[in-house]
Amino acid sequence: AVSERITAGAHDDEMNEWLHHMLTAPITFVKLADETEIGWRASKLHENIATNMTLARTAVQKVFDVAQRRSQMGNLSAEAMFKVYVENLGAGTAGEAVTLSFIEKCFNIWDKALKK
């Protein structure tokens, strides 16, 4: 958004507002290896904010997350996907714990109801 405003020739007053907001917002930069690591990091952050129900993912969003990873990782079995989730998100997160049954249900819902 800021680069678009710069390119559009925004006035100094507006740019100073952007500068103020950017300098007062808490930001943590984390260097990650690739898109896969970025995806897992995002999922872990989503799980850790699940106690704030306005930001928590819905059940359908979680099903899509599992289905997308399954597709990206070569159609893994539920057991293999469960192991990958535990390795990347941990056994217990602030949100609902991922179980083998959860992964199996996500596969089933995707395959029978949501898959095009």
Side-chain angles (χ1 to χ4, degrees):
V2 177
S3 65
E4 291 171 0
R5 296 304 302 140
I6 292 169
T7 302
H11 295 283
D12 285 347
D13 290 341
E14 180 183 350
M15 296 314 302
N16 283 330
E17 276 188 53
W18 277 109
L19 178 64
H20 170 76
H21 291 296
M22 292 172 69
L23 292 176
T24 57
I27 298 173
T28 302
F29 291 95
V30 178
K31 184 177 180 180
L32 302 170
D34 55 26
E35 288 182 22
T36 300
E37 194 173 342
I38 291 168
W40 284 113
R41 171 81 174 175
S43 290
K44 187 160 189 121
L45 291 171
H46 275 280
E47 290 299 320
N48 289 340
I49 61 170
T51 54
N52 181 345
M53 294 311 292
T54 60
L55 299 175
R57 292 182 298 159
T58 66
V60 174
Q61 288 173 317
K62 290 180 181 185
V63 169
F64 273 93
D65 181 57
V66 170
Q68 179 183 20
R69 291 184 193 286
R70 180 184 183 195
S71 175
Q72 291 171 341
M73 301 174 91
N75 209 17
L76 297 177
S77 69
E79 294 81 10
M81 180 63 74
F82 172 67
K83 288 179 185 175
V84 171
Y85 263 80
V86 171
E87 288 171 7
N88 287 282
L89 297 181
T93 61
E96 185 178 333
V98 174
T99 63
L100 176 56
S101 175
F102 168 78
I103 299 293
E104 290 170 340
K105 287 178 177 133
C106 287
F107 281 15
N108 192 34
I109 291 167
W110 177 258
D111 290 342
K112 298 196 177 180
L114 298 175
K115 189 176 180 179
K116 292 181 181 180

